Amino acid sequence: MKHVSSLLRLLLYLNLSSVLARGGQRNSSSTSFSGSSRRLLDDDQFQTSADKAKGYMTNAELEEAVKAFGQRCNNISRIYSIGRSVSGFPLWVIEISDKPGVEEPEPAFKFIGNVHGDEPVGRELLMLLANWICDNHAKDPLARLIVENVHLHILPSMNPDGFALKRRGNANDIDLNRDFPDQFFPMNNHEEARQPETRAIMSWLRRIHFTASASLHGGALVANYPWDGTQDRRRYYYGCPDDETFRFLASVYSRLHYNMSLSREFQGGITNGASWYPIYGGMQDWNYIYGGCFELTLEISDNKWPNADELPTIWEYNKMSMLNLAASLVKSGVHGRIFSSDSGKPLPGSITIKGINYTVKAGRAFADYHRLLAPGKKYEVMATVPGHKSKCTSIWLEEKATTVDFILDPDVTGEENVLRSICDDCNCNGGGKPILLEFLWGFHMEVYLILILILAFLCFLLKRRMKFTLGKQRQSPKRSVMV
C-alpha cells in the first residue's frame, strides 16, 4: 500500500510539474514544445486552500496596507487607482517620488504583482519594497537615488479576484497574461472585449510614459525577456531589436539575486521567453511594442504559493535586485532633452539608435528621453523632430549613464516656409514687430535690397492693374469683377 501511495504522489507531481509558471497549461498550438519541467510544489502541496493563504494579506488587508502606507509616507508618495477588477475591487497603485503626482523630466518605472491569482508572492514583496524605501530613503543612497530621480509606481495586485478565488485567472477565469494584443496573431484586437484589468493596464500606459517595468510571477527562478512568442509558434530563441539591452537588464536582476544567477537550468539565471516556451497575448511583449516600455517577467520563487513564513527570506533574496533594477533607469543608458535652437523650447521628438530598429519617444511636456542601452559599446544616437533638422552624435557608453541634450534647427526649405515662419514669430496680430525686425535684419543686406526691389516692382504692377480694371468698369458697368 505504501508503494501505491508513493506512485500516486509521483504521477500527480509529474502532471503538475508540466503546468509552467509563466504559461500555465501548455498551449496546444505551441508545437514542437519540449519544455523542461520544474518543481512547483513542495511537500505541503496537499494543504488546503485556507492553510495555503494563511499569513498572506487578504484583499481587504492589502487595501488597508496601501492606504496606511500613503498616510505614513505622504511626503514621498501618493495613492491612486487605475481601475477596478471584474468584481469591482480597486487596482491600487503606490507612486514613490520626491514630487509624487508632478510630471518631471525623469524616467518612470512600474512594478506589477499578482498577475496570476495563484502567484501571490509578488504582492507581498512589493509592499515590503515600498515600506523599505519609505524607511530608508533618508539614509540609504540607493533608496534616495530612486526617490529623487525616478517616479516608481507599484501595483501590488493586478488580479485581486484571482487571488480571492485562489486560481490563476481572474473572476472570468481568463489568464490576464494572455489577454493583450499580440504582434503575430490577431487576438484581442477589440479593447472593449478585453478584461477590465487588462484595459486598466493599457489605459495606464497611455497616461504615463513608463521607461521600463517588471511583473512578478512564481513557479520558477529566472528573469525572462522578449520576445515571448515566435511567428511560427515553435520554441526557439527569438530576440527583439533590443535583445542585448534586455539581456543586460535581466542580468542586473539575476546577478544581484541570492541564487538566481546560479541556475542550472537557465544560464546566468536569465532566459529569452520564446526560447523557454512561447506564449501569445502576453503583457511583456505588448509593453515593449505598444507602450514604449522595456518590461521583464520575473519568476521570483520556485514555489508558486510558498508558506507565508518563507516570505521574509524570499524578500531578502530579491531586495537588492528589485532596488537596482529600478535604479538602472538612471544608473545606465543615455538620457537628455531635445530643444529648438530658435525658440529654446522643448521639442517632443524621438530618439533612434543606429542598428537598432526601435524608437524611443521623448516626453510631451519636457521633451526628456531615457534610452536604455547595454554598456561598454559605441552608439550613434539620433534625435528627430518633424519640421526640424535631425542631429546625430556618437557616444561611448560606459557603465554609468550618459547625458546628451539635442538642439535642433528648424528645417526651412522654401519661400512658403519662410513666410510662415515670419507669421508664426509675429503671431500675425501686430504684437511681434521687434521679432519681425530681428528676423529681417538677420538676412544679408544684398538679399534684403533684392526683396525691396521685388516688392516695389510688384506694387507698380498692382497699381497698373487697378487702373486698367477701373477703366474697364466704367466702360462695362454690368460686368462682375473678382478682386
Side-chain angles (χ1 to χ4, degrees), residues 175-231:
D175 187 333
L176 298 179
N177 203 32
R178 305 294 185 277
D179 196 43
F180 287 84
D182 189 80
Q183 63 173 322
F184 299 122
F185 302 101
M187 57 197 305
N188 309 323
N189 288 336
H190 301 289
E191 185 165 345
E192 290 306 314
R194 301 187 189 100
Q195 299 302 300
E197 298 91 344
T198 307
R199 296 199 303 270
I201 296 294
M202 297 175 69
S203 177
W204 193 20
L205 265 73
R206 285 193 287 265
R207 295 194 304 271
I208 299 178
H209 184 197
F210 288 103
T211 299
S213 64
S215 63
L216 306 185
H217 295 252
L221 202 60
V222 66
N224 179 93
Y225 56 90
W227 295 126
D228 261 341
T230 59
Q231 290 178 307

Side-chain angles (χ1 to χ4, degrees), residues 105-123:
E106 296 179 352
F109 187 97
K110 61 180 168 67
F111 275 116
I112 298 178
N114 203 198
V115 178
H116 294 133
D118 60 348
E119 298 171 15
V121 173
R123 57 192 263 150

